[in-house]
Amino acid sequence: MTSLLLLAAALLLLLFAGRFRDDRRRFGNGVLLGLGTLLLFAGSFLEFARFHRPVAQAVAGATGVAAVVSATAVAGALLANGIRMVRAEGGRPANLLSLLAGLGVLAVLALAVVTERTDQGPLRAAATAALLVAGYLAFLFLCFAGYAALYQRVTARRPVDFVVVLGAGLTNGSTVPPLLAARLQRALTLYRRQAARGRPPILVVSGGKGSDERVPEAEAMAGYLMARGVPEAHVLQERASTNTGENLAYSRELMERIRPDYRCAIVTNDFHVLRAGILARRAGVPGEAHGAPTAAYYRPSATLREFVAVLVSYPLANLAACAVLAAAGARAGWYG
């Protein structure tokens, strides 16, 4: 059993390395890395347990306690962050994700505790199903967060023809807010670094005019860059897009007209980097995403939003996995 687990881990990690070298912009890479790492730890632990069973049992018990304590702490942190998000950013659905996630974690823990104390078949079935689905989602989230962090740290630094800056909402209908300013500053860094080598890229600012905005986001972004010394000839505006997918598709059309064999960098905020890379791959945009820093209080909710968006982009696979796990958990809990 141990040998099979370690062999499977090695194969998964080798597959991850090959896919990562081929194209980093795949969520599946993160899942392969997570599965390989999980099997590697499981196999190593079982091998250790063969020779040090008492110690292994103590470690397993301590790990279980640590998992419960950690889950409770994470729930508390999510609730606190959710309250702060509502106070700072308002009660829009996207700002409630931290709060809802914290309540969800507490609900699963409470259901497990009640089940342990009452030991009733229906409760056991519900608790086991909930724990399996929650475990699946937690595993995918760790894969997403871990791979997003890895992706940001190994983004290629080669010269590019264009730097695409993805838009975000404007303040008071025309002012660049801090979130968008961070993206523009990151783009300026890339621009100046390459310009110092004698090959300045064109900055493509991408974003249309929202219903509550007085000017297109691209116009406000272009003004921000030119006010900081970027020549007008080095700024290209894409004014029609309304979301990230359109940002990339419409920007691709503009870049292809100027240089069909172009290479680009895509700039967004750090929490959005992996999904931007995934969408760029799907849109046929030859470029890696680069992240700009985000306020610490904003990052948890934004990361959860990105994770949900990635899950929704694979609806059949995730719904099927959750349905199978829930059914298996309910059956095991009922007859357990």
Side-chain angles (χ1 to χ4, degrees):
M1 180 64 176
T2 301
S3 298
L4 288 176
L5 286 175
L6 293 175
L7 177 60
L11 291 174
L12 286 170
L13 292 174
L14 283 173
L15 181 58
F16 159 74
R19 284 168 54 96
F20 184 79
R21 185 177 62 250
D22 177 58
D23 196 331
R24 300 164 180 165
R25 304 169 300 170
R26 292 171 168 166
F27 178 52
N29 292 350
V31 176
L32 286 172
L33 179 60
L35 282 172
T37 303
L38 182 63
L39 292 180
L40 178 62
F41 275 106
S44 301
F45 180 78
L46 289 178
E47 184 66 19
F48 176 79
R50 288 175 55 195
F51 303 100
H52 307 282
R53 184 173 296 277
V55 177
Q57 290 175 340
V59 170
T63 302
V65 172
V68 174
V69 172
S70 298
T72 306
V74 167
L78 287 170
L79 290 173
N81 179 256
I83 293 170
R84 182 173 182 184
M85 277 294 295
V86 171
R87 289 176 175 173
E89 303 290 337
R92 293 183 296 120
N95 296 333
L96 300 176
L97 285 175
S98 293
L99 197 62
L100 294 174
L103 291 173
V105 173
L106 287 180
V108 172
L109 291 174
L111 181 59
V113 170
V114 171
T115 302
E116 181 66 24
R117 292 183 177 180
T118 58
D119 194 28
Q120 295 179 3
L123 274 178
R124 282 201 314 271
T128 308
L131 284 170
L132 286 180
V133 172
Y136 171 76
L137 294 176
F139 170 74
L140 287 183
F141 178 76
L142 290 174
C143 291
F144 173 80
Y147 187 64
L150 174 65
Y151 176 79
Q152 289 189 70
R153 282 161 177 75
V154 295
T155 300
R157 304 292 181 181
R158 58 185 170 182
V160 296
D161 304 296
F162 301 92
V163 176
V164 180
V165 191
L166 303 182
L170 301 176
T171 302
N172 299 323
S174 60
T175 304
V176 171
L179 189 78
L180 184 53
R183 300 182 185 187
L184 293 165
Q185 287 298 138
R186 178 72 168 128
L188 276 171
T189 299
L190 296 176
Y191 172 83
R192 288 167 178 164
R193 182 185 299 159
Q194 193 168 313
R197 302 188 188 117
R199 187 184 167 186
I202 294 176
L203 295 170
V204 182
V205 287
S206 179
K209 181 177 178 294
S211 59
D212 59 343
E213 294 172 338
R214 296 198 298 272
V215 299
E217 292 168 10
E219 181 179 326
M221 295 160 72
Y224 183 99
L225 292 171
M226 288 186 286
R228 286 156 180 79
V230 179
E232 184 176 358
H234 290 176
V235 181
L236 181 62
Q237 297 184 39
E238 182 287 297
R239 298 182 171 209
S241 57
T242 60
N243 56 49
T244 303
E246 292 180 357
N247 286 150
L248 294 165
Y250 298 163
S251 296
R252 181 195 66 205
E253 293 174 3
L254 293 177
M255 292 184 287
E256 286 178 342
R257 290 175 196 165
I258 297 172
R259 182 164 185 164
D261 59 343
Y262 72 94
R263 293 290 308 177
C264 72
I266 302 154
V267 176
T268 184
N269 286 88
D270 46 16
F271 62 82
H272 189 225
V273 163
L274 181 55
R275 190 164 74 91
I278 293 170
L279 291 173
R281 178 176 177 270
R282 292 179 177 177
V285 176
E288 303 284 357
H290 298 248
T294 308
Y297 82 90
Y298 192 85
R299 193 177 295 116
S301 183
T303 302
L304 285 169
R305 184 172 70 243
E306 295 300 307
F307 173 62
V308 170
V310 170
L311 284 186
V312 170
S313 67
Y314 302 92
L316 294 179
N318 287 308
L319 284 174
C322 288
V324 169
L325 288 171
R331 179 179 174 80
W334 186 276
Y335 295 105

